Amino acid sequence: MVNKVIIIGNLGKDPEVKDLQHGKVCNFSVATSHKWKDKTSGERKEETEWHNVTCYGGLATVAGSYLHKGSKVYIEGRIKTRDYEAKDGTKRYITEIIADELQMLDGRPANAETSSF
């Protein structure tokens, strides 16, 4: 069985980094788009999908340091659905991409050091 996802898109907001007992975790959302031409009307259409992305450890540090709202990224990882209890006591579910690989596609920031991710 295979659980693998690859997306290329833009960050919807700045990443949020947290220090937990087991290390750093970074969360952010990425927008991807699908464009097509409607066969009946000839009109161009576009659909945007939002993906929740989570990174751990060193990847979380890199994402938190170098990514920002609007950054174009390549993400490779796996899909995970988990549940949690909301403040009102109801059970909620979230589907996210657990990133194993991240590449910044905007180019290197002017103040960034050369590094391999």
Side-chain angles (χ1 to χ4, degrees):
M1 291 183 257
V2 176
N3 180 355
K4 181 137 183 140
V5 62
I6 297 172
I7 62 170
I8 296 174
N10 296 86
L11 267 69
K13 62 180 181 177
D14 290 338
E16 296 175 10
V17 180
K18 296 177 187 169
D19 286 309
L20 302 177
Q21 289 178 340
H22 62 277
K24 288 189 185 279
V25 63
C26 180
N27 296 297
F28 54 91
S29 59
V30 175
T32 58
S33 294
H34 172 68
K35 297 177 184 180
W36 73 97
K37 187 176 183 179
D38 186 278
K39 292 181 180 179
T40 55
S41 69
E43 182 181 352
R44 293 214 171 266
K45 305 260 184 171
E46 181 175 0
E47 180 179 76
T48 301
E49 184 75 29
W50 287 94
H51 310 274
N52 296 310
V53 179
T54 301
C55 305
Y56 294 98
L59 203 56
T61 302
V62 169
S65 297
Y66 296 106
L67 297 180
H68 54 43
K69 181 179 179 177
S71 293
K72 185 175 222 162
V73 292
Y74 167 94
I75 302 286
E76 200 171 304
R78 61 187 170 85
I79 295 175
K80 182 178 180 179
T81 300
R82 59 183 170 86
D83 59 54
Y84 65 96
E85 190 173 309
K87 290 179 183 176
D88 63 3
T90 60
K91 193 172 192 177
R92 302 266 175 101
Y93 295 90
I94 184 169
T95 300
E96 59 194 342
I97 296 171
I98 306 299
D100 297 322
E101 186 176 328
L102 178 152
Q103 292 180 17
M104 295 174 282
L105 301 177
D106 289 331
R108 194 174 71 140
N111 60 349
E113 296 177 17
T114 303
S115 181
S116 175
F117 311 117

